[in-house]
Amino acid sequence: MFPLRTFFGPSLSNFKRFTPAIGSTALIVSLIGLSGCSESSKIDPAVTFGEEPTLVEPDSSLIPSVNIASAVGWPEGEKPTTPLDSIQVNRFATDLNHPRWLYTLPNGDVLVAESNKPQKGQDDSGIKDWIAGKIMAKAGAGTPSADRITLLRDADKDGVAETKTIFLQNLHSPFGMTLIGNTLYIANTDAVVSFPYQQGQTEITATATELVKLPGGKLNHHWTKNLIANKEGTKLYASIGSNSNIAENGFEAEIGRAAIWEIDIATGEHRVFASGLRNPVGMTWVNDTLWTAVNERDELGNDLVPDYMTSVQENGFYGWPYSYYGQNIDTRVEQREPELVERAIKPDYALGAHTASLGLMYTRGGHALNDISEGMFIGQHGSWNREPKAGYKVIFVPFKDQQPAGKPIDILTGFLNQEDEAQGRPVGVEFDKSGNLLVADDVGNIIWRVSPSDSNVTHNLSSNE
């Protein structure tokens, strides 16, 4: 295999500079089949989870792993598995178009953002972007964005949504959703917009009102923008990913990114609430503390850097791009702000290297899944650049006194089949009004419902185990 790093230097981000120098077709063929040429991880992946993960030495001298699980979807009648006798899973809704995120309305209706990368205005001129597009297509993310939100309703409470209607359309790669009073806020890829909402309506036709613009534009990597409100209904928090892996597109392209914004609902005024978060996606409240799930940087080997979840400190800095997992310096990056690194905050809990942990939902217990007490549900979308693959599951991390207190527990597995193909990829996690867990699967185009089983066998997933 051609030693790409000796040609492109320490970062594959330099691909776009060398487009004329190589045959792009041959290159993509080589990259798509690269997994057989990459060394496999030599450590137990479990050590990259927890409050004190193992951080191996960076590996930036070899070809990075490109190990894509081809998206094939679920065979008829097949579904994820669970190691727990106390829960079961069924198809809550099917035949969706790349469902990414979920939000339950007060009357029990469930909103689903059917969304993908923006089709207009993207900078796909470089060979790296072209390669990334091919990789994402193979992984099931190559379809045009439906740009809509669909409403699901299970009026007869049988665990299957019998109503599916287009609730909002003509959006722009929508993702996060939150309702405050009679106003529904949506995070498009480039702006937070709002719509009037009346309980029970199955369609909104009103014109959007823009509250605040978000970083978007022609160069718009990490396009997903999530949204969550404070309990007083006065502030919104928007998670905004970086425009690169390690700022290789220039620091100007990162202004306002790799951050969580705090937005005043009354005025639209905003500020950076926390920064240095490469790609924060899921957000949830643990009492009055905001938590987020963050996807960390690539190209440092199979076992660096662990994705993580963390409490978010006001004005906190979490390292990106200069350092990772606290103050571990990334030597590939120009160290322009050493004073920031000196105060870089170590995350609370590692979620495994390259697991693409996206969905995040805290529970105090007291929901339908009675054997599961305080803790965090996490949707791990799955790796595309690790050997062997990681993620592709929904896990639960026990908490005690609002802090992580135990090893992760598998809730849903089986998203990869025996051929290592992706039957599905979990993204957003959300409780329905009855306290059952809903999981968005953007490869299977399904919403899965996790509910108590009829078995008398129980498993106490408490923070005491």
Side-chain angles (χ1 to χ4, degrees):
M1 181 64 66
F2 182 77
L4 294 173
R5 283 202 181 276
T6 63
F7 185 82
F8 292 114
S11 174
L12 294 185
S13 306
N14 293 321
F15 276 175
K16 62 177 73 176
R17 304 177 190 174
F18 294 95
T19 304
I22 54 176
S24 57
T25 302
L27 176 62
I28 191 64
V29 169
S30 297
L31 281 172
I32 294 295
L34 206 57
S35 60
C37 300
S38 303
E39 286 193 14
S40 182
S41 169
K42 293 180 174 61
I43 67 172
D44 181 351
V47 303
T48 64
F49 285 76
E51 294 93 332
E52 297 292 340
T54 296
L55 300 178
V56 300
E57 288 297 315
D59 176 9
S60 57
S61 61
L62 301 174
I63 299 171
S65 296
V66 180
N67 185 22
I68 308 157
S70 297
V72 297
W74 293 92
E76 186 68 29
E78 294 294 315
K79 60 185 180 181
T81 55
T82 175
L84 307 175
D85 294 326
S86 59
I87 61 177
Q88 61 187 352
V89 59
N90 70 277
R91 299 183 184 215
F92 179 73
T94 59
D95 300 322
L96 294 160
N97 188 340
H98 211 246
R100 299 280 286 178
W101 216 241
L102 300 166
Y103 185 78
T104 300
L105 293 168
N107 71 333
D109 290 343
V110 177
L111 302 182
V112 183
E114 296 178 272
S115 190
N116 212 335
K117 172 185 173 182
Q119 297 302 300
K120 297 179 180 179
Q122 286 290 97
D123 182 6
D124 294 326
S125 57
I127 192 166
K128 182 186 177 186
D129 299 308
W130 184 73
I131 291 168
K134 294 295 184 182
I135 289 173
M136 292 303 103
K138 185 178 176 69
T143 59
S145 179
D147 284 347
R148 67 176 178 238
I149 293 172
T150 291
L151 181 143
L152 305 173
R153 178 177 293 170
D154 177 18
D156 60 8
K157 309 299 182 186
D158 67 347
V160 178
E162 68 274 3
T163 299
K164 181 171 68 173
T165 63
I166 295 176
F167 186 67
L168 275 168
Q169 54 187 332
N170 300 318
L171 299 169
H172 190 202
S173 294
F175 196 79
M177 303 162 277
T178 194
L179 179 69
I180 301 175
N182 291 321
T183 304
L184 180 67
Y185 294 89
I186 307 294
N188 281 326
T189 192
D190 55 0
V192 176
V193 297
S194 68
F195 298 87
Y197 166 77
Q198 293 298 319
Q199 184 167 293
Q201 71 183 108
T202 57
E203 182 185 16
I204 291 179
T205 57
T207 302
T209 299
E210 184 175 289
L211 177 64
V212 62
K213 292 186 182 300
L214 300 176
K218 188 177 180 182
L219 187 67
N220 188 22
H221 297 299
H222 295 144
W223 57 268
T224 55
K225 311 295 200 301
N226 196 16
L227 205 61
I228 194 171
N230 65 355
K231 65 180 181 181
E232 295 83 8
T234 59
K235 307 286 187 183
L236 291 172
Y237 295 85
S239 60
I240 303 165
S242 68
N243 229 345
S244 61
N245 183 36
I246 49 169
E248 67 273 6
N249 292 319
F251 286 88
E252 289 292 317
E254 304 297 346
I255 295 174
R257 287 181 170 267
I260 293 175
W261 286 15
E262 181 184 73
I263 304 165
D264 185 87
I265 290 173
T267 65
E269 293 182 2
H270 63 276
R271 68 184 180 103
V272 172
F273 183 76
S275 61
L277 301 156
R278 178 178 175 265
N279 186 24
V281 182
M283 293 187 291
T284 190
W285 292 103
V286 178
N287 290 349
D288 294 327
T289 301
L290 182 65
W291 282 65
T292 189
V294 177
N295 287 199
E296 255 289 0
R297 67 202 72 198
D298 299 321
E299 301 177 24
L300 287 177
N302 289 308
D303 301 303
L304 280 183
V305 175
D307 296 338
Y308 60 85
M309 64 176 175
T310 192
S311 56
V312 182
Q313 298 182 27
E314 185 174 358
N315 299 318
F317 176 72
Y318 291 82
W320 190 90
Y322 307 111
S323 66
Y324 57 88
Y325 225 83
Q327 299 170 6
N328 296 280
I329 299 296
D330 191 331
T331 58
R332 302 171 298 174
V333 181
E334 178 189 355
Q335 298 293 307
R336 295 162 48 125
E337 300 182 83
E339 70 282 359
L340 274 181
V341 175
E342 289 179 5
R343 62 181 181 87
I345 299 169
K346 179 182 174 183
D348 288 292
Y349 194 95
L351 294 170
H354 309 297
T355 56
S357 296
L358 303 178
L360 192 71
M361 178 59 60
Y362 174 72
T363 176
R364 299 181 189 87
H367 44 71
L369 308 178
N370 292 321
D371 298 322
I372 299 176
S373 59
E374 184 190 4
M376 199 79 77
F377 287 98
I378 300 131
Q380 297 194 312
H381 199 225
S383 63
W384 60 267
N385 57 342
R386 185 179 190 277
E387 176 62 47
K389 298 177 178 68
Y392 296 95
K393 62 174 68 175
V394 177
I395 63 174
F396 177 80
V397 175
F399 272 45
K400 184 177 182 180
D401 299 329
Q402 295 91 53
Q403 292 296 321
K407 297 178 180 179
I409 299 161
D410 288 348
I411 298 296
L412 290 184
T413 58
F415 288 90
L416 293 176
N417 63 20
Q418 292 184 346
E419 287 72 40
D420 243 11
E421 299 166 322
Q423 300 177 123
R425 300 184 79 182
V427 193
V429 289
E430 169 74 302
F431 287 116
D432 68 15
K433 192 176 182 182
S434 298
N436 303 295
L437 183 70
L438 302 177
V439 178
D441 175 351
D442 67 357
V443 162
N445 292 321
I446 293 168
I447 307 301
W448 301 104
R449 175 178 173 268
V450 182
S451 60
S453 72
D454 297 328
S455 172
N456 292 323
V457 179
T458 61
H459 294 259
N460 180 18
L461 304 187
S462 71
S463 56
N464 296 321
E465 286 195 343

